[in-house]
Amino acid sequence: MIVTLVELENGSVSEISLETLAFARSLAAEGGGIAIRAVVVGDVDAPDAVAAELGAHGVSEVLQATGDAFSAYGGAAWAAALQAARESTKSVVVTAAGSPRGMEVLAHLAARLDVPFAANVVSFSGLAPFVVTRQVVGGAAQEEMKLDRRPAVLTVAGHSWTAAAVGGDAATWTTFSPEVAEADLVARVVATGTKDSDDSDSLKSARVVVGAGRGAGGPEGFAAVGELAELLHGSLGVSRVVTSLGWRPHHEQVGQTGSRISPELYVPCGISGAIQHWAGCSSSKVIVAINTDAEAPMMTKATYAVVGDMHEVVPAIVEEIRGR
Ligand code: FAD
């Protein structure tokens, strides 16, 4: 049995939780059709809709943890709920999304169970032994990890799997009220707020991103890349040097301390491809890098590398597209 912690956003299952279920389904299939249980914690506005959505994504049963302890989010309290669900189902694998909450809750759970914690898993290569590949150094590198204690506790890196409904009846719904110790309630969310808008949202979900770095040369150097982004119906993304120098706003930054993108096409221009930048763009499907330095890390990792001055190459591409 596999237990997956599922997070809800505005009453629906979050996209990254659905991606995690795609991983869990693959694991379940490899194990000969192991059942997948989902755990949701706290109030659920529309259980029928959530049960239907989770059923379509391969979940057979939803376990909803209820009780005063879950009126506000707390990592340790949620871990207590997940631990109770895992014990009642005798699950051999516990998964969650590699989201801030998924990471916090599963770290608590692994510590409580005294088992290793594999964060940001992207794939597995066998069940016996159970070997997973996971992202490290902010996604810039990968390592293999053998999980030989049970349950295996792991989070799944965002965008490493594609959320896909596979059909299936609505999951059955069971509520349970796990005991939560006082000590598990010491850290809880007391207030939440939302920003009016998050300007980086369109960058994170863009199918095309045109990037620019120090090679742009200054604030005036972004006109052509902006035009190219517009022509390709994409977004503009920049390196940290660019935001640090105040050439462009921070919400456009790609990387470890910016947005993580996974477009179909990324066109980094005048960006060296430092490890912290690569951490945010390595999931791009196709990378067409433009740089004067053929040896820049971005050029050696790109799908296609164009050696040239971005101030000549980008306007030429724009002109070519406009001429069609
Ligand atoms: P440079 O490294 O200076 O590279 C400029 C590139 O432009 C070079 O490859 C050069 O050959 C090329 N070039 C120059 N002129 C032209 C031209 N006319 N045409 C074409 N090419 C040209 N960086 C991020 O981007 N995102 C992050 O989230 C991030 N987080 C960080 C977090 C930490 C804790 C630290 C320490 C660093 C972080 N950085 C981040 C910074 C990162 O290490 C690099 O310094 C940064 O990415 C470099 O930006 P760049 O590629 O634009 O500049």
Side-chain angles (χ1 to χ4, degrees), residues 35-298:
I36 303 171
R37 301 277 192 275
V39 172
V40 294
V41 184
D43 291 341
V44 178
D45 292 339
D48 288 349
V50 172
E53 193 173 13
L54 289 174
H57 285 261
V59 171
S60 55
E61 183 181 16
V62 182
L63 305 169
Q64 181 194 6
T66 58
D68 292 345
F70 308 117
S71 58
Y73 169 74
W78 278 42
L82 202 52
Q83 186 174 5
R86 126 84 196 152
E87 272 158 20
S88 70
T89 56
K90 301 281 177 276
S91 298
V92 289
V93 181
V94 183
T95 62
S99 62
R101 285 192 179 183
M103 293 289 204
E104 184 180 16
V105 174
L106 262 61
H108 272 288
L109 180 69
R112 298 165 83 100
L113 297 173
D114 194 22
V115 296
F117 171 39
N120 283 322
V121 167
V122 294
S123 62
F124 64 95
S125 58
L127 293 184
F130 187 28
V131 179
V132 296
T133 302
R134 68 188 196 113
Q135 291 178 345
V136 289
V137 205
Q142 295 191 338
E143 70 178 16
E144 284 199 339
M145 189 171 172
K146 191 163 85 154
L147 298 171
D148 48 14
R149 297 193 50 195
R150 296 290 172 270
V153 173
L154 60 95
T155 57
V156 178
H159 300 312
S160 55
W161 289 74
T162 304
V166 289
D169 295 339
T172 56
W173 196 277
T174 307
T175 57
F176 70 114
S177 302
E179 275 185 31
V180 180
E182 279 296 311
D184 290 333
L185 294 172
V186 290
R188 302 175 79 198
V189 171
V190 291
T192 55
T194 50
K195 286 195 273 177
D196 288 345
S197 69
D198 185 346
D199 292 331
S200 66
D201 279 354
S202 60
L203 175 61
K204 286 178 198 155
S205 58
R207 295 174 69 82
V208 175
V209 175
V210 179
R214 198 197 297 269
E220 66 294 337
F222 292 81
V225 281
E227 205 178 343
L228 180 58
E230 211 176 302
L231 280 173
L232 297 175
H233 307 290
S235 293
L236 180 64
V238 301
S239 71
R240 183 155 113 165
V241 164
V242 167
T243 57
S244 300
L245 292 171
W247 296 351
R248 299 295 304 179
H250 181 266
H251 68 79
E252 291 179 357
Q253 184 178 313
V254 171
Q256 187 181 321
T257 46
S259 295
R260 290 182 186 222
I261 58 170
S262 51
E264 299 293 322
L265 172 65
Y266 182 40
V267 188
C269 310
I271 295 180
S272 60
I275 198 166
Q276 297 89 355
H277 187 87
W278 184 250
C281 67
S282 58
S283 306
S284 305
K285 304 280 179 303
V286 173
I287 297 180
V288 180
I290 301 169
N291 200 303
T292 45
D293 177 5
E295 301 303 321
M298 184 62 87

